Amino acid sequence: MKKLFLFALVLVFTSTAFGQIAYLHYRSVPQDQEEKFVERETKYWSKVAKSAIDKGQLAGWSLWRKVGVTKADAPNYVFVNQYASLDQLDNENIWSDNMDALGDVKPEDVETWSFTKLTFDYYVQFEDAVEGDYKYAIVNYAKPTSVGQFMQENKTLWKPFHENNIKNGNGMTAWGMASVIYPSGNQDRFSAFTYDGFNKLSDAMKYMSYNAPSDDNPFADIMSKSKMNEIMPDGFNYRIIYERIMTVE
């Protein structure tokens, strides 16, 4: 039952402290069950997460819905369970200790496991961020040749660039990045990601839209200084937009 309270982006997707840990839990929910799933998670299970947060057992919890369909068997929801440190993961009683938060409701009457599917999950560490409020997050999943070089360039080159754009009001309201702790290896889906926050879906879509190269393109100058073509020669594995459903802090 404890996996009910998990996962990006972001997507991650809440206020974070550097070095903070998140457990990302990706769930596939049938279209005809989405309303029931969201109601049960936000109305009931968020209370259990809130109780754990109030006791200092969790740092945060949020639920996100993927915008659109990427693949028929791909997850369409993701939970983010945030922890202050890896040591908090050793508490195996977080969920059982907080079931009283459900009140008179029986767990079996509001469960969501029987009609959904866990597709995969990840443990990640937040590395840096430009904090801000946002409803939508573009999560840029990456598998660079060197995670260290990827993080270093993002910290020194891309973070100041995004920070300046956010201050100037280009639609983006937040930015951050994380590295994958587990699982890892050559066959893994991604080993790091960045996320771009927006308050309007249209702004997120405009940001992802193709812009022909030109002298006034804001990315032209920074791309001339970037080594991402070497660090990540195939580009991002996926760039997916998630909508925030609920956050408990």
PDB file of all heavy atoms in Angstrom, residues 21 83 157:
ATOM      1  N   ILE A  21      15.988  14.279  -2.018  1.00  0.00           N
ATOM      2  CA  ILE A  21      15.737  13.049  -2.755  1.00  0.00           C
ATOM      3  C   ILE A  21      14.256  12.972  -3.136  1.00  0.00           C
ATOM      4  O   ILE A  21      13.384  13.443  -2.394  1.00  0.00           O
ATOM      5  CB  ILE A  21      16.109  11.823  -1.896  1.00  0.00           C
ATOM      6  CG1 ILE A  21      17.551  11.960  -1.365  1.00  0.00           C
ATOM      7  CG2 ILE A  21      15.939  10.538  -2.690  1.00  0.00           C
ATOM      8  CD1 ILE A  21      18.606  12.122  -2.434  1.00  0.00           C
ATOM      9  N   TYR A  83      11.949  13.426  -0.113  1.00  0.00           N
ATOM     10  CA  TYR A  83      12.584  13.123   1.167  1.00  0.00           C
ATOM     11  C   TYR A  83      13.714  14.116   1.420  1.00  0.00           C
ATOM     12  O   TYR A  83      14.384  14.564   0.493  1.00  0.00           O
ATOM     13  CB  TYR A  83      13.155  11.707   1.171  1.00  0.00           C
ATOM     14  CG  TYR A  83      12.117  10.623   0.997  1.00  0.00           C
ATOM     15  CD1 TYR A  83      11.723  10.221  -0.273  1.00  0.00           C
ATOM     16  CD2 TYR A  83      11.536   9.994   2.099  1.00  0.00           C
ATOM     17  CE1 TYR A  83      10.765   9.219  -0.444  1.00  0.00           C
ATOM     18  CE2 TYR A  83      10.586   8.996   1.929  1.00  0.00           C
ATOM     19  CZ  TYR A  83      10.209   8.618   0.666  1.00  0.00           C
ATOM     20  OH  TYR A  83       9.264   7.636   0.493  1.00  0.00           O
ATOM     21  N   LEU A 157      26.225  27.425 -17.317  1.00  0.00           N
ATOM     22  CA  LEU A 157      25.819  28.087 -18.554  1.00  0.00           C
ATOM     23  C   LEU A 157      24.302  28.249 -18.672  1.00  0.00           C
ATOM     24  O   LEU A 157      23.792  29.356 -18.880  1.00  0.00           O
ATOM     25  CB  LEU A 157      26.345  27.304 -19.765  1.00  0.00           C
ATOM     26  CG  LEU A 157      26.089  27.923 -21.138  1.00  0.00           C
ATOM     27  CD1 LEU A 157      26.840  29.249 -21.261  1.00  0.00           C
ATOM     28  CD2 LEU A 157      26.523  26.961 -22.245  1.00  0.00           C
TER      29      LEU A 157
END
